Amino acid sequence: MGNAYSDEVLHAARLSPFKPARGLTGSEVVALHAALVEVLGAAVQRVAGVQAAQLRDDKRSAMRVHGRTGSSCPTCGDTIREVAFATKSLQYCPTCQTGGRPLADRRLSRLLK
Ligand SMILES: [Zn+2]
């Protein structure tokens, strides 16, 4: 899955981006699946009938956390944060996803030391 939609799905499921998949509880797996269906289903509905040139803008404007670092979370109003993971950066809402705790960067360069 693309970086953008994985940020969106994790926010909808209220899961931390650093949560290991095998550590998920049964109810978290259910929430994750429901979020996948909701976020990707909504994305497919939005793009139906839209010109390719408009897709990028449409996709960006529909994002709740992805690419919105510093903006307010549409769910709770907390500030969207960004954290580095390996070579990517992820956006997430601390209140919705990590119990209010900001995450520490996990850059690849730091992991390799
Ligand atoms: Zn939030």
Side-chain angles (χ1 to χ4, degrees), residues 9-101:
V9 167
L10 288 169
H11 178 258
R14 306 180 70 87
L15 292 173
S16 166
F18 288 163
K19 183 113 187 164
R22 64 177 173 276
L24 294 176
T25 66
S27 61
E28 285 171 338
V29 171
V30 170
L32 187 58
H33 180 256
L36 266 169
V37 172
E38 177 199 320
V39 170
L40 296 182
V44 169
Q45 281 192 349
R46 274 199 315 279
V47 300
V50 176
Q51 300 282 334
Q54 291 178 289
L55 281 180
R56 250 190 105 78
D57 289 344
D58 177 77
K59 181 179 165 186
R60 181 152 305 168
S61 65
M63 295 287 155
R64 286 182 279 191
V65 290
H66 183 76
R68 302 188 67 242
T69 306
S71 301
S72 302
C73 171
T75 303
C76 73
D78 195 2
T79 303
I80 304 298
R81 310 269 185 137
E82 179 171 298
V83 67
F85 179 71
T87 58
K88 300 196 291 190
S89 58
L90 309 169
Q91 285 93 45
Y92 68 100
C93 169
T95 295
C96 289
Q97 297 174 254
T98 60
R101 282 170 291 117

